[in-house]
Structures are given as C-alpha cells and as structure tokens.
Amino acid sequence: MTPDKDHIEPIESLLPRYCDGNVTDEERRRVVEWMEASEENKRIAKQVNLIYLASHAIKVRRSIDTDKALNRVKGKMIVHRKRKYWEWAQRAAAVLFIPLLAATLFLSLPSEDEALPRATARLMEVNTSPGMTSSLVLPDGTRVYLNSETRLTYPSFFDGDTREVTLSGEAYFEVAKDAEHRFIVHTPHHSQIEVLGTSFNVEAYESDEEITTTLVEGKVHFLYKEGGAKHLVTLQPNEKLIYQTDDHEVDLYATSCLAETAWKDGKIVFRNTTLREGLKMLAKRYNVEFIIKNSKGLDDPFTGTFTNQRLERILQYFSISSHIRWRYVDGGDINETKSKIEIY
C-alpha cells in the first residue's frame, strides 16, 4: 500500500535520523536521492551532520545554539512542523549489542573574542565508551563504525589532496569514492592505511602489540616504518593483515570477513576462532577483564554466532566446548569500571 503523502516524513526531519543511522532502507533512499539532486542539498546535508555531531559535545569552550544553526542551514527549506531536532541525540545508551551513539565529541572552537577563519577546519574527536559502539558520517560522506574504547580524530572538512583521519581502537570504514583524493587512516606505531574508496576494518589499539586490517572490498595499502624505511603491503578483498609492531612482521590470511566485521551489526561471530581471541572479543564487547589462571584450551578453535546473548551464556558455551571454568572475582577497588572474570 502506498503511504499517504501527508504522512511522508519531510527531508528536514529525516536528516538528523539519517546522520544517526536510524532510518529505514526506504528513508535512506529518499535522503540519498535528495542529496544527489543538487550540490546545494549535499552542502546542507553535510552542515546538518556537523551540527548533529556538535550536539554531542560536552566539553566545548562555548555553547552551541543548535536551533539557530539549523535554521541557517535549512535556508529555503520549508518547515512543516515545529520539533526539537536534538532530543533524539540525548537518548541514553543502556543496551549492549545494539549499535549505539555513546560518543563524546571534542571540537577545537575559538573563544568568544576570536574570529574563526572561514577556510580553517576545526579538529573533531569522537570517543566511544567502554562496551559501546557508535557510528558517524564524515564530511566527505564516509561512514565509520567505531568499536568499544575507540578514538577517531578528523577535520570538520577535508582540504587539500588527501582525506586524513587518526584512529586509535577499532573501526569499520565505508569510504566514499573519490579518485582524486586518497583516504588515509593514521594508526599507532607509525603505521597507516591508504585507500580511494573501499570497505575495510581496522583494529589498532595503542596498548596492543599488533595491528589488524581486514579488507571487504576495494584495495588497501598498509604502510609501516622499520628502521627509518617505509614499507608497503597491498591487500586484496577477503584478506586479513596482521602487523606485529614489536618485530615488524607482517602476515596475510584469507578470510570471509564475517568474524572481523560482525561487531558493527551487534553480533559476535566465531569462525575457527581461538578461545584466546574469543575472550579478547568478549572483553571489548562486554567491558570486562579476563584473568587467565589456566592457559589450557586457549588455542582451541570455536565456531558460532551470538546476537544479544548474555556474557554468561557465551562463557557456558566455552565451558562445554573446552572444559574451562570461569567465575567473577572481586577486584577490591570500588572505582573499577570493569568486571573481572577469572578463567581457571
């Protein structure tokens, strides 16, 4: 049945939800068609996205009047109903395994007495809370999903010959195609990833001794430094690269990409995944710390898919399959933010 035109949500109401990723396929199609209709529409959409991101800022040096800013952005767009655009952005993230915007955005803004040069990009930083995931759209249209305890830094607009961001943590990128401007992800330990338009996953926590890149489609160049020299490794689709930061060893593996990217859809997928790696995945998702007292069975492989299951249920699966035992332990510190689970 075709919906009544009077009940079709106007574009200005869909844009904030589109930035949040909270739209149906039909609504997404409407917004994309509207943006592609003119360069002015694309400009409006990008500015709405920036205002949407700014609404999350809790440590900005001055307050942001989002209502006035949004009115300036809409320009000639007709407002059919009065509504508060940003109430939806203040919802508390309380349920795990659902992609949530639990990010804190820090903007490098001028003081009240300073004039912001028109061509100066502002530095933006998004941080995801432990055990949460988030997503955002960059100024060039690139969609980024951020895993638990991840930090992404990027400019308010891309200028020059390249599009560059800095990542610490894990993220899945759906890079907007632009043959004239390379997209570069700077990662810890003097490494980076270069693409033009592609989809790939990066796991690069500063505290880890390895960086992992998984290519879903397109082509990726992984670059790293060793002894002052630069090295480049090219990935093909369905390949996974693991870079050991201590000895600069690089290994390539074939993969279906399911296990590496399922987290962005709120799932945990094991495909011949070792218990050791599985515990690492669970630690990020559930914001817990595993204390290994017995290493027996840590290299046993597991296969399975979990969606919205409680952590205890998954650990029971491990117990049956690998005969491990586990228990919650008291860390003794009331300020601890993570639960501790002992594997014995």
Side-chain angles (χ1 to χ4, degrees):
M1 178 180 294
T2 303
D4 190 324
K5 291 184 177 180
D6 293 335
H7 294 85
I8 296 178
E9 193 169 5
I11 290 294
E12 68 266 22
S13 300
L14 285 178
L15 281 177
R17 292 201 293 109
Y18 175 83
C19 294
D20 189 14
N22 186 25
V23 291
T24 64
D25 291 339
E26 175 61 21
E27 290 171 336
R28 182 180 294 105
R29 182 191 60 79
R30 285 186 55 209
V31 174
V32 171
E33 289 181 353
W34 177 81
M35 289 191 295
E36 293 179 348
S38 70
E39 290 299 319
E40 176 65 10
N41 289 353
K42 289 182 181 179
R43 185 186 66 81
I44 290 174
K46 288 183 178 181
Q47 292 188 13
V48 169
N49 182 55
L50 291 178
I51 295 172
Y52 152 76
L53 291 172
S55 72
H56 289 277
I58 63 173
K59 292 186 179 180
V60 294
R61 291 167 55 189
R62 64 177 182 177
S63 61
I64 299 175
D65 189 336
T66 55
D67 289 331
K68 291 182 179 179
L70 186 59
N71 287 334
R72 288 198 298 268
V73 170
K74 289 190 295 185
K76 297 182 180 180
M77 296 177 67
I78 300 175
V79 180
H80 295 283
R81 65 174 70 91
K82 183 178 180 181
R83 60 183 296 175
K84 295 180 180 179
Y85 286 90
W86 309 116
E87 289 179 349
W88 53 271
Q90 307 303 322
R91 295 192 301 266
V95 183
L96 296 177
F97 274 103
I98 301 176
L100 297 172
L101 281 163
T104 301
L105 178 67
F106 300 91
L107 294 84
S108 176
L109 293 176
S111 65
E112 295 292 343
D113 298 329
E114 293 175 341
L116 179 66
R118 187 172 184 179
T120 301
R122 289 175 288 185
L123 188 63
M124 296 186 172
E125 183 177 291
V126 179
N127 292 270
T128 49
S129 301
M132 298 294 179
T133 62
S134 63
S135 67
L136 70 155
V137 178
L138 299 183
D140 66 334
T142 293
R143 166 73 69 174
V144 187
Y145 299 84
L146 305 178
N147 208 347
S148 172
E149 296 185 281
T150 294
R151 180 177 69 252
L152 180 71
T153 305
Y154 63 96
S156 58
F157 63 88
F158 294 109
D159 192 17
D161 297 330
T162 59
R163 299 169 286 167
E164 301 189 38
V165 302
T166 301
L167 173 72
S168 176
E170 183 171 15
Y172 180 85
F173 291 85
E174 295 176 350
V175 179
K177 294 183 178 180
D178 185 346
E180 296 181 358
H181 300 88
R182 290 176 299 154
F183 190 94
I184 300 175
V185 181
H186 295 280
T187 48
H189 306 289
H190 307 290
S191 60
Q192 68 185 48
I193 296 138
E194 296 185 2
V195 301
L196 291 177
T198 186
S199 298
F200 63 99
N201 194 80
V202 182
E203 186 174 1
Y205 289 90
E206 292 183 14
S207 57
D208 288 352
E209 295 180 352
E210 62 183 33
I211 294 175
T212 302
T213 301
T214 304
L215 181 59
V216 178
E217 63 179 36
K219 181 180 290 187
V220 158
H221 297 311
F222 180 81
L223 296 92
Y224 64 97
K225 290 183 179 180
E226 180 183 4
K230 290 185 177 180
H231 302 270
L232 181 150
V233 181
T234 300
L235 278 74
Q236 301 298 330
N238 295 327
E239 282 190 339
K240 176 179 180 178
L241 177 146
I242 299 180
Y243 169 57
Q244 303 293 340
T245 61
D246 54 349
D247 58 9
H248 306 288
E249 289 291 327
V250 175
D251 294 301
L252 284 173
Y253 303 92
T255 178
S256 66
C257 303
L258 292 176
E260 293 83 4
T261 63
W263 62 266
K264 71 182 181 65
D265 299 315
K267 299 178 181 180
I268 292 183
V269 175
F270 299 132
R271 289 290 184 270
N272 291 319
T273 304
T274 64
L275 174 59
R276 190 189 310 274
E277 183 64 23
L279 293 177
K280 181 180 177 182
M281 294 164 65
L282 295 178
K284 284 188 297 184
R285 173 53 64 185
Y286 290 100
N287 189 32
V288 299
E289 178 183 346
F290 288 102
I291 302 172
I292 308 299
K293 294 294 186 179
N294 183 2
S295 59
K296 183 179 179 180
L298 288 183
D299 294 322
D300 291 349
F302 295 89
T303 296
T305 300
F306 298 91
T307 304
N308 296 331
Q309 273 89 350
R310 293 165 53 244
L311 174 60
E312 293 80 2
R313 181 67 179 272
I314 302 177
L315 291 177
Q316 287 174 2
Y317 169 77
F318 284 157
S319 297
I320 296 172
S321 301
S322 192
H323 306 291
I324 66 166
R325 292 186 294 174
W326 62 273
R327 64 187 175 192
Y328 283 97
V329 295
D330 185 1
D333 186 352
I334 61 175
N335 296 317
E336 280 286 347
T337 59
K338 293 184 178 182
S339 300
K340 296 181 182 294
I341 298 177
E342 185 176 273
I343 304 297
Y344 65 101

